[in-house]
Amino acid sequence: MRNFHVGTITGIPIRLNITFLIFLPVLAWLISRPAQLTAYAGFVAGISPHEVDIALLQTGNTPTVIGIVAALGLFVGVLLHELGHSWTARRYDITITSITLWIFGGMAHMENLPEDWNVEFYVALAGPAMSLLVAAACYGLLFVVPAQPVVVFVIGWLAVINLTLAIFNMIPAFPMDGGRVLRALLARSRPYAEATQTAASVGKGMAILLAVVAVLAFAPILLLVAMFVYVAAGAESRATVMRDLLADMTARDLMSTDVRTVTPETTVAEFLDRVVTERTVAYPVMEKGTVTGLVTLNTVRNVDPAKRDSTTVADVMGPAPPSVDPDADAFEAMQALGESRSDRVIVVEDGRFIGEITSEGFMRAIEVLQGIGSHRGRDIEAPDGYA
């Protein structure tokens, strides 16, 4: 889904996902509802040195103002939470490529995921620690800000919600920080992939528990979070197993060099003849050693049969697939393949095309690796969907 770049903080690009832009007004509306204002006012009154006049908070447009400011404040807290992860990761020489805010909070994208248990432990804890600092700062502000009901309510609400954010994130379930803390602790005495699978199983159990609570409490948003946690736990397990299977391998190890290509001048009629005789439905378009596009059977399907002899693949081809360096990590190649709109990535060395990795070829490689066990000499359980 589309992301919008909105700026940088300490050199880290900050992006807003479209789901964030959609969810923000919904969140503001939820906060401004009378029942929610009443419930939160009780919490704020319990920690504030000032009285909270709930009747005043519910007059005129005040609920709308509170909802908008509080929702924006929450996502500022989420951004600081992710910056806590990012700044700590930088101390361990981990590059942060971006931070994205979306419907479920935030994501700090790391160029290399830490596999040392102590590094992951401290990076994971840094987010909740930052949320606790934000909560403490907001609590302290309650004693110095004017006794204006809206100001007191919003700052008190942010203190409560950031404390809640810190606690909720410590639930031992991926992608929450608690799941990563659990994996880090398990990885002290067992292989990283095995620790991930155990932590993922615990996370799925927690997701089921959250779903039960959500149903009993009639909380649709919590149910949505539970579903996301369950799916994310499985995805984390699969990604880690793939990374372990592909350890020490490069794109060169996975690529095929026996690649059928066409030139830009190839006519659609000639292309279709090759599709029939070679039983291949997608061809990189090669010009002077460089891939300039990709032509597939679907690409030419709508070309008028009467014009197939005069239409070239250059007229109808799609963009070139993403490229990777032959010495790139195999897991990076897999990620590029997953992000590609086609079913392949091309391997380019010194600007020249030398091979390709297709989804079909990649899956065959995974089947072989699973069949013989990890090339590092230990057995790895097949992840869901790859057995």
Side-chain angles (χ1 to χ4, degrees), residues 53-64:
D53 188 342
I54 186 61
L56 186 60
L57 295 178
Q58 296 181 345
T59 58
N61 293 325
T62 303
T64 301

Side-chain angles (χ1 to χ4, degrees), residues 83-111:
L83 285 170
H85 289 307
S86 302
W87 291 333
T88 304
R90 280 180 166 181
R91 293 190 59 188
Y92 293 99
D93 298 322
I94 299 172
T95 301
I96 306 299
T97 56
S98 66
I99 292 175
T100 302
L101 299 181
W102 69 313
I103 186 172
F104 288 116
M107 293 183 291
H109 302 276
M110 302 181 187
E111 192 171 88

Side-chain angles (χ1 to χ4, degrees), residues 30 36 42 55 63 68 70 88 105 129 145 166 168 226-227 232 258 277 306 321 354:
L30 289 172
Q36 294 295 318
I68 294 172
T88 304
V145 297
F168 186 77
M227 294 169 61
D258 182 21
T277 58
I354 62 170

Side-chain angles (χ1 to χ4, degrees), residues 1 7 9 24 65 71 95-96 136-137 147 162 179 197 207 214 223 268 272 276 285 289 303 308 346 350-351 356:
M1 285 180 283
I9 298 178
L24 190 64
V65 174
T95 301
I96 306 299
N162 278 282
Q197 290 173 346
L223 180 60
V268 170
L272 290 173
V276 173
V285 181
V303 175
R308 288 175 179 174
I346 58 175
D350 297 328
E356 71 176 8

